[in-house]
Amino acid sequence: MTGGELPATRRVLLDALADGPVEGPAIATELDVSRAAVWKHIEALREAGFDVESGEGGYAVTGAPPYNGPGVAFGLDAPYAVEFHDRLDSTNDRARELATSGDGDVVVLAEEQTASRGRLDREWRSPAGGVWLSLAVRPDVPPAHAPAFTLAAAVAVTRACREAGVDARIKWPNDVLVPGPEARGGRKLCGILTEMSGEADRVSWLVVGIGLNANVDPDALPADAAATSLSTELGSDVDRRVLVQRVLEEFEALTTDPAAVMPAWREHAVTLGRHVRVETPGGVIEGEAVDVAFPGTLVVETEDGEVRVTAGDCEHLRPAGS
Ligand code: BT5
């Protein structure tokens, strides 16, 4: 089901019913489908967990949209199967399990995680209310291209958060934040952990883990991490179902058009033009971040010339030139 007629029809139906009530025949006309097809779509909505009331004026969707597997799959315009858990140790671990047994194009979601990880086995806090997801894919690319998937995920999350009304930006390599005076360059909304297995010339699977503080109380986040959430920034909860759909759709669009990833990343980055200090496995690099190069290398202009950094923890020191 890639970009076919079904997701679009289901979205139009949902939009109409959210403003409802609407009579069955009027829906049939608007969607240009039979009345029997309308009834099937309504049943599918109910099965996905939406509250659909049928009264005098017709059908209407009432209540909060369901954040569960069928809810996320309903109207999703990307070719991923959805697996939802109320609680998991780590969605990355579950996605790795699926990938190892041969599955691909599957997204694992959990309401809550009890042993989630950041990079270098750092702890990641995952209280209920967030978006904790891991996507297992099997792209036909060499392992060296894997960082481009992390960058694509950062762009996808940034776009989805901006659509929700939050000024999200990307900090190299794997953070989405709301820019601010904090030492880390802003308040962290999202972190991404990409893991992979492959042979010398080809990726076998990639698991892209996304932790996005959606409707999370700041008290539930680590106090020393300058963390924030979408609900904190907006003052109200976001619709996580739509948020996840938009992240997945943008991710799929970007990874099927790899040339689009770098320009989109540059457009939303806060790291470029900054004076940065990057801790890499090979030592500390300090200078001005001048560009990002495929598949995700940070280009830093140092006193000793240009240095290309493929991995590390990046601190924004001050705007270059100030
Ligand atoms: C990351 O690591 O930012 C990657 C986080 C990936 C989490 C996702 S959730 C779904 C999937 N399943 C998993 O088990 N993991 C992935 P890193 O750059 O190393 O940042 C980790 C640091 O962020 C920690 O040391 C804390 O300081 C801080 N932190 C922990 N939880 C946070 C949260 N919820 N929001 C913001 N910052 C947090």
Side-chain angles (χ1 to χ4, degrees):
M1 193 172 76
T2 47
E5 202 188 320
L6 199 54
T9 306
R10 292 194 161 182
R11 283 184 179 207
V12 175
L13 174 69
L14 254 182
D15 283 349
L17 298 192
D19 299 337
V22 198
E23 303 266 14
I27 301 171
T29 308
E30 180 166 352
L31 298 182
D32 195 20
V33 298
S34 69
R35 287 177 66 176
V38 170
W39 188 80
K40 277 192 190 151
H41 283 305
I42 300 272
E43 278 312 295
L45 264 173
R46 287 190 169 130
E47 274 163 29
F50 289 89
D51 292 326
V52 188
E53 280 183 5
S54 44
E56 248 178 43
Y59 297 106
V61 166
T62 56
Y67 184 60
N68 56 23
V72 170
F74 189 91
L76 172 65
D77 195 4
Y80 304 129
V82 183
E83 187 182 290
F84 189 96
H85 300 259
D86 291 331
R87 180 184 275 205
L88 272 183
D89 295 350
S90 155
T91 54
N92 260 42
D93 289 351
R94 174 62 186 149
R96 286 176 66 121
E97 214 173 271
L98 291 168
T100 309
S101 62
D103 285 345
D105 287 341
V106 54
V107 58
V108 178
L109 292 161
E111 177 66 51
E112 205 179 336
Q113 295 181 111
T114 52
S116 46
R117 313 176 258 116
R119 291 178 304 150
L120 307 171
D121 265 332
R122 288 190 277 239
E123 189 202 348
W124 182 260
R125 207 70 75 75
S126 307
V131 163
W132 321 124
L133 80 76
S134 300
L135 187 57
V137 289
R138 314 182 77 87
D140 189 9
V141 298
H145 289 192
F149 289 78
T150 302
L151 268 63
V155 172
V157 168
T158 301
R159 285 182 172 165
C161 291
R162 296 186 73 81
E163 280 176 21
V166 171
D167 181 26
R169 306 292 173 89
I170 308 169
K171 179 181 162 213
W172 185 87
N174 69 329
D175 287 355
V176 177
L177 49 72
V178 181
E182 292 78 4
R184 290 184 173 88
R187 304 181 293 285
K188 184 159 167 170
L189 270 175
C190 167
I192 299 164
L193 174 68
T194 302
E195 298 178 299
M196 79 166 168
S197 163
E199 322 221 321
D201 57 343
R202 201 175 160 274
V203 162
S204 165
W205 53 256
L206 271 172
V207 166
V208 182
I210 297 176
L212 171 55
N213 301 323
N215 304 328
V216 176
D217 193 296
D219 292 346
L221 297 172
D224 57 350
T228 189
S229 63
L230 294 176
S231 58
T232 306
E233 299 296 322
L234 291 167
S236 60
D237 281 359
V238 293
D239 181 344
R240 283 185 289 166
R241 180 188 154 270
V242 170
L243 188 69
V244 168
Q245 288 187 335
R246 294 297 302 125
V247 169
L248 296 176
E249 288 162 2
E250 289 289 340
F251 181 82
E252 202 245 344
L254 285 161
T255 51
T256 45
D257 178 17
V261 176
M262 293 298 138
W265 192 94
R266 288 188 191 101
E267 184 191 331
H268 294 302
V270 277
T271 304
L272 301 183
R274 304 285 306 207
H275 195 88
V276 296
R277 182 176 188 280
V278 192
E279 277 181 37
T280 77
V284 172
I285 310 287
E286 212 177 298
E288 185 190 344
V290 290
D291 198 11
V292 67
F294 186 84
T297 311
L298 189 68
V299 184
V300 184
E301 198 64 60
T302 73
E303 281 179 354
D304 307 321
E306 192 181 283
V307 177
R308 294 180 165 244
V309 191
T310 53
D313 278 315
C314 175
E315 203 182 330
H316 289 184
L317 298 177
R318 57 176 191 275
S322 69

